[in-house]
Amino acid sequence: MDSEVRNLRLTTGITVPCLVHGSEDARPLLLLHAWGESRRSFDRLIPRLTGFRVYAPDLRGQGDADKPPDGYSLAEQAGDAAAILDALDLQSAFVLGSSSGGYVAQQLAVGHPERVAALVLVGSPLSLRDRPAFTDEVGRLTDPIDEDWVRNSLSWFPLLHAVPRWFIEDRVQDGVRMPAHAWKRILDGLCAATPPTEAGTIHAPTLILWGAHDGLLPRRHQQALAARIAGAEFKVYPAVGHLVLWECPEQVAEDATQFFGAVD
């Protein structure tokens, strides 16, 4: 299938690159990556999403996107996602968000419900009001970002499955390319926000995928998230940690494809 990277100038004032992959007549699927990553974190997933026209942007402050000093509240991050759909001339799309990208996807579904045809949340928080233990460490970051620090930060999210070394090294480089202000302000924006399912209602059909050994997001929170979204499906991956996308992209692709395929 053909792939291209388009540079999108958004109405929110920034420019972001967006990978476009798949048949033009296939149903659109927007992928939202996690904090500290880039569109390349979907490199092992996208080839398996054969039935979709996939759009994978770098988000503000990350990857090759613009890295302005501000605009990192959760509402603004969701506004960027809506502006990406505008720039792609898409009225709506399926949306899959990984980790904090799923938090942005929830906010998109609450604030712009007409834009989200269905939602897959992959290791996505219910709330980040209780700031993660590593928040203070991130707050001490200065430029340039140290590569060893980024590599060591991966220990926050233990892996239970083998992940290709090239993929991990690519994620390290994602982190190195981010300036300190982006590391801090994206996390601050996520943690300061009212959780989307408290701010409004998600009406889109939703599938929640969660690793049973996730040390960041407890099961009770995932069950509460599912309970707040009418009709949501909740699937547990038994031997997987927080980084579901990293550990089992094949299963994520299979479950997402089946779920989206059942949506009218």
Side-chain angles (χ1 to χ4, degrees), residues 90-124:
L90 295 173
Q91 289 298 112
S92 68
F94 297 138
V95 181
L96 182 151
S98 173
S99 189
S100 64
Y103 210 47
V104 176
Q106 291 176 52
Q107 185 63 41
L108 178 66
V110 166
H112 307 269
E114 73 285 356
R115 313 308 297 267
V116 180
L119 191 58
V120 172
L121 304 174
V122 185
S124 175

Side-chain angles (χ1 to χ4, degrees), residues 145-230:
I145 299 299
D146 182 71
E147 183 172 316
D148 288 338
W149 178 85
V150 178
R151 186 169 283 106
N152 291 336
S153 74
L154 300 183
S155 66
W156 300 340
F157 312 112
L159 297 168
L160 281 72
H161 290 242
V163 175
R165 174 54 54 183
W166 67 263
F167 182 86
I168 291 174
E169 290 304 314
D170 277 358
R171 306 291 68 73
V172 170
Q173 294 309 309
D174 283 344
V176 171
R177 285 199 297 271
M178 284 175 63
H181 78 263
W183 274 103
K184 297 173 187 179
R185 291 176 185 170
I186 295 169
L187 182 59
D188 285 346
L190 296 167
C191 293
T194 299
T197 53
E198 292 181 21
T201 302
I202 294 176
H203 297 287
T206 301
L207 171 64
I208 297 169
L209 305 177
W210 175 74
H213 294 271
D214 190 329
L216 180 66
L217 310 178
R219 179 186 291 264
R220 69 183 185 280
H221 283 192
Q222 296 294 291
Q223 291 169 330
L225 178 60
R228 291 181 184 180
I229 304 172

Side-chain angles (χ1 to χ4, degrees), residues 121-146:
L121 304 174
V122 185
S124 175
L126 166 72
S127 170
L128 287 171
R129 278 189 175 132
D130 295 330
R131 290 175 175 258
F134 47 77
T135 301
D136 289 344
E137 186 175 336
V138 172
R140 293 190 292 269
L141 287 175
T142 57
D143 292 318
I145 299 299
D146 182 71

